[in-house]
Amino acid sequence: MKFQLSVVTLCLLAAGGGAQAADPDLARNLAASCANCHGTDGHAVKGAGLDALAGMDKERTLQKLADFKSGVRPATIMHQIVKGYTDEQIELIANYFATQK
Amino acid sequence: MRTIDRRDFLKAGAAAAALASLGGCAGVGRKAGGHVAVVGGGYGGATVAKYLRLWSQGTVQVTLIERQPNFVSCPLSNLVIGGAATMAELTIGYDRLQTVWGVRLIRDEARAIDPANHRIRLAEGGDIRYDRLVLAPGIDFMWQEIPGLDNDTARSTVLHAWRAGPQTVALRKQLTDLPDGGIYAIAIPKAPYRCPPGPYERACLVAHYFKQHKPRSKVIILDANPEVVSKKALFAKAWSTLYPGIVEYRPNSEVKDIDAAGKTAVLEFDTCKADVLNVIPPQKAGDIAGQSGLRLINGRWVDIDWLTMEASDTPGVHVLGDAVFPAPAMPKSGHLANQHGKLAAAAILRLLAGDAPSQTPLLMNTCYSFVDPRHAMHVASVHRYDPASRLMQPVPGAGGLSVAHNETEGLLALGWAKNIWADTLS
C-alpha cells in the first residue's frame, strides 16, 4: 500500500510539468488527426497529390503552417483547418512528424 | 511496414504483461494488454482495429467482426451512380488489416451483446469474450416512417443506395435504363442523417449524366429540410450554372409514404411521380447498437462520453461513427468515423493500462462533394473537447467552405479517398 502511494506521488510530481507532461500521447493523437489526408504517421500514398509529412523538418512544417494561418501561403483548405489548432498543438504535431522515419 | 505473425503476437503479449507488472506512472512505459472486439469494418471500425494494433505495438489483441467480404466506400459512390467510377474502384479487401496489422477477422454478424459478462453473440460463430467492445455498425433505416417500403418488392424498386453496395449498382442500372425525358426524384430525410451533402452531390452527378446522355430528363430533389443542409450556396450555384432546367429543388418536401408500383412519393399536401424514385429513409444507429439497451437520444442515436466514445450508461462498450448522437455541428461522415476510431483507440489503450484517457481530444473533418466528375468542393471543421459541456465543440474561426467548385479540389477529393482508405485499411 505504501509502495502504491509513493508511485501515485511520483506520478503527480511527473505531471507537474503541465498538461503536455500529463499526456504523453498528445502529440501522437494530434498528428493522427492529419493522417486521413497525409497518411498514417505522415506516410501519404505516393502519387495521390497530398504532402507526405513523415520526416519533414520541424521548422519547415512550422513555417508552412504559419503561412497557411496568416494567409501568406495560398491554399484550398489548409488555411481553414490550421486555425483549429493552437500554436502549442502545431508545435507538437510538427515535432512528431519530424521524428517519423 | 512490418508483418506481425502469430508467434510475434504472443511474444509481444508476454512482453506487455511483464511490463505491466512492473507498474509505473500514467502512460509512461505502462503497456496495455487484453482483447478488444470490434463490430463493423467501415471507416470507424477498421480504423479503431488498425490503430489499436499500431499504437499498442501489437500487445492488444483485436478481433474485427464484419459481415461483408470487403470494405466498400460510401464516399465516391455517387460517382458510380453518375457513371464516372466503378464499384471495383471503391472496393478494398481486409487482407492488410490481417497480414500487416495482425487483426483477427471474423466474417459473421453480431446478434447480441452481454456487457455484464463481456460477451458478444455471433449469428454463426458462437460467443466471443472481450475486455472492451467497440460497436461501429453505421446506420439502419427507420422503415416504419415510410409505410409503403414495408416489403422487399417495394424496397427493390424504390432504392435508397445509402449504403454502398448492390443498391449502388441497381440505382445506376435504373438510370441507364431510363429513357430520355424520364424523371429522377431523390428524397432526403430530415437531418441528422448519414453524409449531409451526399444527396445534393448525387443530384449533381445524375444531372451531369442526364446533360451528357439524356438532355430532356430532369432531377427533382424532395428535401424534408427547409433548406439545403450542407454547402447550400455552393450547390445552388452548381445547379443554376451547370444544370439549369435539369435540377429542380423543392424544400419542406418530406416524403410520408410511397406507392412503389406507381413510383410515386406521397408528401403532406402533394404527390410526386417519377420514373426513378430514390428515397433515402430516416436513419438511426445500426441495430446492434440501437437495440442492445444502450442509452439512446431521441430513440435513435447512442449517447456517448466524448472522452472515450463509451456508451454513457454502459462502461466498456464504445460506440463510434454514424451510430452516435452527433456533437454540435458535427456531421455523420466517413472522415469523422475514422477520427472517432483514433480517439477510441487512444482511450481504450489508456483504459486497458489502468490509466485515465486524454482530457483534450481533437477531431477534424473534411467532406468533398463532386458537382461533376472533375470538379469538387469541400466543407471542413475542427472540433475539440469542451469540459464545461462535456461535448466536442467546433473550434471558433476554424474550418470553412470552398469559394467555388474547382478542378484542383476534384483531384484533391480523389487523393483524399486514396489516403483515407490507406489510413483506415492498410
Side-chain angles (χ1 to χ4, degrees):
Chain A
M1 194 60 179
K2 237 177 196 172
F3 171 73
Q4 282 179 4
L5 276 176
S6 69
V7 170
V8 169
T9 311
L10 278 173
C11 290
L12 287 173
L13 284 172
Q20 287 169 26
D23 191 349
D25 301 330
L26 189 57
R28 180 200 73 184
N29 293 350
L30 287 167
S33 73
C34 312
N36 301 41
C37 297
H38 296 284
T40 304
D41 286 335
H43 298 284
V45 174
K46 288 190 178 73
L50 286 137
D51 292 347
L53 305 178
M56 192 184 277
D57 176 68
K58 182 182 172 183
E59 293 308 318
R60 197 170 149 226
T61 305
L62 286 175
Q63 189 60 51
K64 231 173 158 175
L65 291 173
D67 290 347
F68 281 136
K69 212 170 203 175
S70 69
V72 168
R73 192 183 178 95
T76 57
I77 193 168
M78 275 308 300
H79 60 301
Q80 298 168 345
I81 292 170
V82 72
K83 292 187 182 108
Y85 298 78
T86 64
D87 291 344
E88 292 74 25
Q89 289 171 331
I90 287 172
E91 173 99 12
L92 285 169
I93 290 169
N95 197 47
Y96 183 86
F97 284 125
T99 59
Q100 298 304 307
K101 298 212 168 73
Chain B
M1 288 196 234
R2 71 209 162 89
T3 303
I4 302 167
D5 67 21
R6 188 169 167 276
R7 195 178 301 163
D8 288 342
F9 195 106
L10 293 173
K11 259 195 279 181
L19 264 177
S21 70
L22 292 172
C25 291
V28 187
R30 185 156 57 179
K31 285 279 177 79
H35 176 222
V36 179
V38 180
V39 177
Y43 280 95
T47 300
V48 74
K50 169 178 161 176
Y51 272 78
L52 282 167
R53 297 287 299 158
L54 169 68
W55 284 346
S56 76
Q57 294 169 307
T59 64
V60 168
Q61 196 183 340
V62 178
T63 302
L64 176 62
I65 300 145
E66 168 57 48
R67 59 191 173 192
Q68 301 294 337
N70 293 300
F71 170 96
V72 183
S73 176
C74 259
L76 302 197
S77 67
N78 282 331
L79 289 173
V80 176
I81 290 165
T86 63
M87 289 303 285
E89 291 172 282
L90 312 183
T91 304
I92 302 166
Y94 292 109
D95 47 310
R96 288 182 63 83
L97 278 186
Q98 299 175 80
T99 57
V100 177
W101 298 107
V103 172
R104 183 166 69 123
L105 181 72
I106 297 181
R107 192 172 163 202
D108 205 335
E109 185 168 317
R111 283 292 163 80
I113 65 171
D114 177 1
N117 293 305
H118 289 231
R119 283 181 180 278
I120 181 157
R121 171 142 304 165
L122 305 183
E124 293 172 6
D127 285 11
I128 289 183
R129 207 195 166 284
Y130 61 79
D131 295 304
R132 289 196 165 263
L133 174 65
V134 180
L135 300 178
I139 52 156
D140 266 297
F141 296 108
M142 300 168 74
W143 295 111
Q144 74 280 7
E145 298 293 311
I146 301 170
L149 283 173
D150 66 356
N151 61 85
D152 288 344
T153 311
R155 289 182 200 174
S156 64
T157 313
V158 177
L159 305 170
H160 53 78
W162 216 238
R163 283 194 198 104
Q167 287 226 350
T168 312
V169 178
L171 180 57
R172 173 66 191 155
K173 179 153 192 328
Q174 287 186 350
L175 291 166
T176 52
D177 289 348
L178 182 77
D180 188 13
I183 290 173
Y184 163 76
I186 179 170
I188 306 169
K190 280 188 177 143
Y193 56 87
R194 161 180 281 182
C195 190
Y200 311 107
E201 177 192 61
R202 183 176 291 180
C204 287
L205 291 166
V206 173
H208 180 262
Y209 168 67
F210 286 168
K211 192 175 172 180
Q212 304 291 312
H213 300 280
K214 292 166 185 175
R216 294 190 298 116
S217 285
K218 302 264 182 280
V219 174
I220 297 174
I221 304 169
L222 302 171
D223 197 341
N225 299 284
E227 59 180 14
V228 174
V229 172
S230 177
K231 305 175 185 165
K232 182 186 169 191
L234 290 166
F235 279 116
K237 191 178 174 205
W239 297 332
S240 66
T241 58
L242 301 175
Y243 310 116
I246 299 178
V247 173
E248 180 189 336
Y249 178 72
R250 298 184 189 171
N252 298 309
S253 298
E254 185 172 21
V255 170
K256 301 281 192 183
D257 202 355
I258 57 117
D259 164 16
K263 290 183 187 156
T264 300
V266 180
L267 316 179
E268 197 169 10
F269 301 112
D270 199 1
T271 60
C272 175
K273 185 167 167 40
D275 299 291
V276 173
L277 183 57
N278 177 196
V279 173
I280 304 164
Q283 296 147 33
K284 58 184 178 174
D287 284 343
I288 190 67
Q291 298 180 356
S292 292
L294 309 180
R295 181 188 293 145
L296 303 179
I297 295 181
N298 299 330
R300 292 169 72 180
W301 312 107
V302 182
D303 183 28
I304 58 151
D305 174 350
W306 283 99
L307 286 179
T308 60
M309 311 274 325
E310 274 174 304
S312 62
D313 64 346
T314 314
V317 178
H318 304 254
V319 186
L320 46 86
D322 292 348
V324 306
F325 184 74
M330 185 182 287
K332 295 187 178 299
S333 71
H335 194 107
L336 272 164
N338 166 298
Q339 298 258 317
H340 291 175
K342 293 165 187 167
L343 195 169
I348 288 168
L349 294 177
R350 285 289 188 83
L351 293 166
L352 285 173
D355 297 326
S358 166
Q359 301 297 301
T360 56
L362 176 145
L363 303 171
M364 70 88 43
N365 183 57
T366 301
C367 290
Y368 286 101
S369 300
F370 284 90
V371 296
D372 65 31
R374 285 164 58 112
H375 298 83
M377 58 219 191
H378 77 263
V379 60
S381 53
V382 184
H383 309 254
R384 67 182 173 213
Y385 187 73
D386 167 48
S389 63
R390 303 183 63 208
L391 293 170
M392 301 297 294
Q393 297 281 1
V395 179
L401 296 148
S402 305
V403 178
H405 61 256
N406 60 83
E407 198 166 355
T408 303
E409 292 198 75
L411 293 169
L412 285 171
L414 298 175
W416 167 87
K418 283 182 184 149
N419 276 287
I420 195 172
W421 292 341
D423 187 42
T424 302
L425 294 152
S426 300

